[in-house]
């Protein structure tokens, strides 16, 4: 080995261990390196120094492939209706080319960070109440997608809760059904039913028994 070359034999970085000097390279000395999986590769000292500087968990490539594999298989639900609902939700909010974007992302509707970056988190929150045939609905259509503002609903229920939803004249001022349900602490579905059945407003809001 050239005396001017610093001996890196035995150096460990990430999942790799330097074995021996093997010659010269345009990016410095060339070293035989062994991965924890048993595979040997050759790396120039320049690449080794870069990995050390950036504190990378370097490997022969096997760990990168394992990570990609985990990302692709961690929920194994790519064809599940809930996954399609999650994907469509993000598309409506963040893809201007989507047909419905102007009614969602175009007017400021967003997805909470927890759901935006992870289907697994979305499923953790919404999976327990999912049933076949239900669609993802926001309780308050002026707000974004989040665990506190989303439910699974039938298609008919969702149509009843569009942006053009009925505005109720409540004792505390005009409110949508969703906002009134929260304000007066009434189940949204219960209040919506009462409104559709044309109950007197005070009675619908549990403010009167007549």
């Amino acid at each position: 080995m050239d005396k001017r070359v610093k001996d890196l034999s035995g150096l460990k970085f990430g999942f790799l261990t330097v074995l021996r000097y093997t010659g010269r390279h345009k990016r410095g000395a060339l070293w035989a390196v062994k991965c924890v999986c048993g595979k040997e590769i050759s790396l120039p000292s320049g690449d080794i120094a870069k990995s050390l500087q950036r504190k990378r968990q370097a490997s022969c490539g096997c760990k990168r492939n394992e990570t990609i594999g985990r990302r692709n298989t961690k929920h194994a639900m790519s064809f599940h209706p809930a996954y399609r609902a999650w994907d469509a939700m993000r598309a409506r909010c963040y893809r201007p080319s989507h047909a419905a974007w102007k009614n969602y992302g175009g007017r400021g509707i967003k997805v909470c960070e927890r759901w935006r970056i992870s289907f697994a988190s979305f499923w953790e929150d919404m999976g327990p109440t999912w049933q076949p045939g239900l669609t993802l609905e926001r309780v308050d259509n002026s707000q974004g997608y989040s665990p506190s503002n989303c439910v699974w609903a039938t298609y008919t229920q969702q149509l009843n809760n569009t942006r053009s939803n009925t505005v109720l004249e409540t004792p505390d001022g005009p409110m949508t059904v969703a906002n009134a349900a929260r304000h007066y602490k009434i189940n949204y579905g219960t209040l919506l039913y009462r409104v559709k059945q044309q109950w007197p407003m005070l009675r619908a809001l549990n403010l009167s028994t007549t």
Side-chain angles (χ1 to χ4, degrees):
M1 181 173 65
D2 191 321
K3 292 181 179 180
R4 293 172 296 178
V5 175
K6 181 180 178 180
D7 189 0
L8 300 182
S9 300
L11 175 67
K12 296 180 182 294
F13 60 107
F15 299 100
L16 303 175
T17 301
V18 179
L19 299 178
R20 59 189 174 275
Y21 172 79
T22 60
R24 298 294 301 173
H25 188 276
K26 62 182 180 180
R27 292 200 297 275
L30 194 63
W31 301 89
V33 178
K34 187 174 184 178
C35 183
V36 291
C37 71
K39 182 179 179 180
E40 284 192 23
I41 60 174
S42 294
L43 285 178
S45 57
D47 288 0
I48 294 173
K50 187 179 296 184
S51 292
L52 289 170
Q53 181 181 15
R54 296 182 180 178
K55 298 180 180 180
R56 290 176 177 171
Q57 289 296 304
S59 72
C60 68
C62 64
K63 297 301 178 182
R64 178 175 61 83
N65 293 336
E66 285 180 11
T67 300
I68 293 173
R70 285 196 298 271
R71 287 175 181 169
N72 290 338
T73 61
K74 64 182 178 182
H75 55 71
M77 294 182 66
S78 298
F79 298 100
H80 193 283
Y83 183 86
R84 292 196 292 271
W86 172 78
D87 192 47
M89 167 188 71
R90 295 191 307 156
R92 290 192 296 269
C93 293
Y94 298 105
R95 192 183 304 158
S97 60
H98 192 281
W101 182 83
K102 66 179 181 179
N103 293 323
Y104 291 85
R107 64 184 189 92
I109 300 300
K110 299 182 182 299
V111 180
C112 70
E113 188 69 6
R114 172 177 166 81
W115 287 4
R116 187 181 67 81
I117 64 176
S118 171
F119 170 74
S121 296
F122 171 80
W123 183 244
E124 181 180 337
D125 295 333
M126 299 299 293
T129 56
W130 181 85
Q131 294 180 33
L134 299 184
T135 57
L136 185 65
E137 177 191 4
R138 287 169 297 131
V139 175
D140 182 348
N141 281 286
S142 66
Q143 302 299 315
Y145 290 92
S146 68
S148 63
N149 193 44
C150 286
V151 295
W152 295 109
T154 65
Y155 185 65
T156 300
Q157 288 172 326
Q158 192 171 51
L159 287 178
N160 286 335
N161 191 35
T162 61
R163 265 201 305 143
S164 59
N165 201 356
T166 304
V167 174
L168 308 180
E169 293 297 333
T170 78
D172 294 307
M175 298 183 190
T176 65
V177 174
N179 286 335
R182 275 203 307 277
H183 183 76
Y184 291 99
K185 297 180 173 54
I186 303 172
N187 178 272
Y188 167 75
T190 299
L191 181 57
L192 183 61
Y193 170 81
R194 292 173 179 178
V195 171
K196 295 295 182 183
Q197 295 299 312
Q198 299 183 342
W199 283 32
M201 186 54 56
L202 292 181
R203 184 183 174 200
L205 297 174
N206 290 339
L207 299 178
S208 171
T209 58
T210 59

